[in-house]
């Protein structure tokens, strides 16, 4: 999954022959899951049509401060466009556009938008060999970098002039991978390993029956995704669920029973920095598992249950510097019970769900939690989607690492 997924990318196109390649660039951004809007300079329209770009980006293309053909047209607000963008990619950036970016000469919408944008700006230069080598171009590069822009180096090859050398705009797929790598390098949890447990456990009674619970696994899967999106390497130990996950930073370890979850957690725990126990592990399991299917011969059947091992508590006992997060689902004396669990299980943070809160708990898309840390400081949160709660939990991990 690309780091560009869900990002708002504003593509600025200036007037060079390489502009014809931006159709492919827009396609790559869309394929990576980004939302794309395009702003073009007047000169670029000689090389690529706004119709092509708006069809591919599924958005209108912005080219002037107002729409000349529509008398009811509204002002194209460069400030809004600049604020909409998570990333501004100027490709191709001609020598002319780069020099205007340096001096702030905003005589077109692209430059005005550039001056208004608060997001990272990537610049993919494209020009002929001698222009590329000219001291004033070099000066533009230096100044643009000094302003905080990121230059995507031009490539070498045959140029439109017939000359051979440096100056060709980086190929669209190389622009995409350059930006992806750059963003990945800045992800706050990059280099961290996080173990997450999720879902229910099934405790066997006989070969066909089990004791389970209604946990959907969603909370744990959302935490895994949010942590992976923040750059962490995630080991997701999941009980049986219908959920699917596909993220190159997430390793899914499927388990069924609490005993299997215990073994999986202890296999990985020593090598992780953080563990989040979001699974609804069965508290009891049948003491004896029947080897054959139990027949309904008797009027009554009594199952003897024994306690499962508390996986989280066992991790708490073993931890050596790992940041350990547990959940508590309480119906009474919520805060007191949660604080007791912090102590008992040696946790750094507990995420308390109160079943008394409407919208919180099993099978619901939302959750309302209170964070309590090891200093017993309480932080009640608003009712939110489970995705947003997952993000809050990941933010707590970031706070722990001051990132
Ligand atoms: N947990 C675990 N292994 C168990 C039971 C629970 O890892 N065998 C973890 C859960 O993933 C969760 C936390 O411990 O993070 C829940 O704690 P638990 O003591 O089970 O509390 P509740 O289920 O909320 O309730 P109770 O107080 O009834 O035990």
């Amino acid at each position: 999954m690309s780091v560009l997924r869900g990002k708002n990318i504003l593509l600025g196109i200036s007037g060079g022959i390489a502009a014809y390649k931006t159709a492919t660039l827009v396609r790559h951004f869309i394929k990576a899951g980004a939302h794309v809007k395009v702003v073009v300079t007047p000169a670029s329209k000689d090389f690529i049509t706004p119709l092509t770009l708006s069809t591919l980006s599924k958005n209108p293309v912005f080219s002037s401060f107002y729409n000349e053909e529509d008398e009811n047209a509204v002002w194209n607000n460069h400030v809004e466009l600049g604020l909409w963008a998570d990333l501004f990619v100027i490709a191709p950036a001609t020598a002319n556009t780069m020099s205007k970016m340096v001096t702030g000469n905003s005589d077109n919408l692209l430059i005005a938008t550039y001056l208004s944008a608060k997001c990272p700006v990537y610049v993919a230069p494209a020009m002929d060999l001698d222009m590329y080598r000219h001291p004033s171009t070099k000066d533009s590069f230096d100044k643009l970098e000094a302003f905080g822009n990121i230059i995507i180096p031009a490539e070498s090859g045959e140029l439109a002039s017939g000359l051979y050398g440096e100056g060709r705009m980086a190929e669209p797929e190389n622009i995409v991978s350059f930006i992806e790598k750059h963003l990945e390098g800045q992800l706050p949890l990059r280099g961290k390993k996080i173990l997450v447990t999720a879902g229910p456990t099934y405790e066997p009674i006989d070969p066909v029956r089990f004791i389970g619970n209604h946990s959907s696994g969603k909370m744990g899967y959302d935490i895994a995704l949010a942590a992976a999106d923040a750059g962490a390497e995630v080991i997701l130990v999941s009980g049986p669920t219908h959920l699917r996950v596909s993220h190159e930073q997430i390793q899914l370890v499927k388990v069924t029973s609490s005993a299997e979850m215990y073994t999986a957690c202890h296999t990985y725990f020593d090598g992780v920095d953080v563990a989040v126990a979001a699974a609804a592990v069965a508290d009891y399991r049948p003491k004896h598992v029947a080897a054959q299917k139990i027949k309904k011969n008797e009027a009554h059947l009594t199952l003897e249950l024994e306690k499962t091992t508390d996986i989280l508590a066992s991790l708490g006992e073993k931890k050596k510097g790992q940041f350990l997060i547990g959940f508590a689902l309480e119906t009474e004396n919520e805060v007191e019970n949660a604080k007791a669990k912090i102590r008992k299980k040696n946790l750094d943070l507990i995420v308390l769900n109160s079943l008394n809160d409407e919208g919180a708990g099993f099978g619901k898309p939302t959750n309302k939690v209170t964070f309590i840390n090891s200093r017993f400081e309480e932080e009640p949160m608003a009712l939110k989607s489970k995705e947003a709660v997952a993000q809050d939990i990941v933010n707590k991990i970031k706070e722990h690492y001051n990132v």
Side-chain angles (χ1 to χ4, degrees), residues 99-178:
S99 106
K100 285 183 183 175
M101 287 167 74
V102 168
T103 56
N105 174 1
S106 52
D107 67 351
N108 66 46
L109 186 66
L110 190 155
I111 303 291
T113 308
Y114 161 71
L115 292 176
S116 315
K118 293 198 167 69
C119 61
V121 179
Y122 294 85
V123 182
M127 66 203 70
D128 209 62
L129 180 63
D130 296 315
M131 290 175 85
Y132 194 76
R133 283 185 183 159
H134 198 278
S136 50
T137 307
K138 167 94 182 54
D139 191 45
S140 293
F141 284 147
D142 293 345
K143 286 194 173 127
L144 286 176
E145 277 186 324
F147 295 163
N149 300 294
I150 305 125
I151 309 282
I152 304 175
E155 294 175 1
S156 280
E158 194 181 345
L159 301 164
S161 60
L163 291 175
Y164 195 90
E166 219 177 352
R168 255 163 68 139
M169 185 180 82
E171 288 301 321
E173 57 271 32
N174 297 343
I175 292 181
V176 175
S177 59
F178 180 98

Side-chain angles (χ1 to χ4, degrees), residues 9 74 123 127 129 134 182 189 192 206 236 245 299 338 398:
I9 300 182
V74 286
V123 182
M127 66 203 70
L129 180 63
H134 198 278
H182 185 258
L189 295 184
K192 296 278 177 280
D206 68 14
L236 174 59
V245 66
K398 289 192 219 163

Side-chain angles (χ1 to χ4, degrees), residues 357-361 364-369 380-386 388-389 392:
D357 286 319
E358 218 168 290
K364 306 236 171 71
T366 50
N367 213 348
K368 181 166 179 348
V369 304
M381 310 298 283
L383 180 71
K384 298 181 180 190
S385 67
K386 284 190 175 165
V389 174
D392 286 343

Side-chain angles (χ1 to χ4, degrees), residues 197 277-283 308-313 325-330 341 345:
T197 69
V281 185
D283 291 324
T308 57
T309 310
D310 191 316
I311 302 169
L312 180 57
I325 306 178
F327 276 72
L329 182 66
E330 306 289 346
K341 276 177 194 166
K345 304 194 191 194

Side-chain angles (χ1 to χ4, degrees), residues 246-266:
S246 143
H247 194 299
E248 56 191 29
Q249 294 283 103
I250 299 180
Q251 179 190 348
L252 178 65
V253 180
K254 287 186 182 177
V255 296
T256 306
S257 65
S258 61
E260 287 170 15
M261 188 172 275
Y262 176 93
T263 305
C265 287
H266 281 271

Side-chain angles (χ1 to χ4, degrees), residues 157-310:
E158 194 181 345
L159 301 164
S161 60
L163 291 175
Y164 195 90
E166 219 177 352
R168 255 163 68 139
M169 185 180 82
E171 288 301 321
E173 57 271 32
N174 297 343
I175 292 181
V176 175
S177 59
F178 180 98
I179 297 171
E180 283 175 335
K181 283 209 185 79
H182 185 258
L183 289 176
E184 279 162 12
Q186 294 183 321
L187 290 175
L189 295 184
R190 189 179 154 82
K192 296 278 177 280
K193 270 197 173 183
I194 301 188
L195 171 70
V196 180
T197 69
T201 60
Y202 289 177
E203 309 302 324
I205 298 171
D206 68 14
V208 294
R209 301 181 181 93
F210 61 83
I211 297 175
N213 63 61
H214 287 299
S215 165
S216 65
K218 183 161 169 50
M219 193 66 248
Y221 276 61
D222 285 345
I223 295 166
L225 263 182
D229 280 348
E233 207 180 303
V234 178
I235 298 139
L236 174 59
V237 177
S238 171
T241 84
H242 297 296
L243 300 176
R244 282 172 200 283
V245 66
S246 143
H247 194 299
E248 56 191 29
Q249 294 283 103
I250 299 180
Q251 179 190 348
L252 178 65
V253 180
K254 287 186 182 177
V255 296
T256 306
S257 65
S258 61
E260 287 170 15
M261 188 172 275
Y262 176 93
T263 305
C265 287
H266 281 271
T267 304
Y268 294 102
F269 186 67
D270 287 342
V272 301
D273 304 288
V274 178
V276 187
V281 185
D283 291 324
Y284 290 92
R285 67 179 168 211
K287 188 163 183 189
H288 306 287
V289 181
Q292 305 301 329
K293 184 179 169 218
I294 300 172
K295 303 297 279 180
K296 52 179 177 306
N297 296 333
E298 311 295 333
H300 300 281
L301 175 70
T302 303
L303 288 174
E304 191 184 349
L305 303 180
E306 64 178 5
K307 254 192 176 164
T308 57
T309 310
D310 191 316

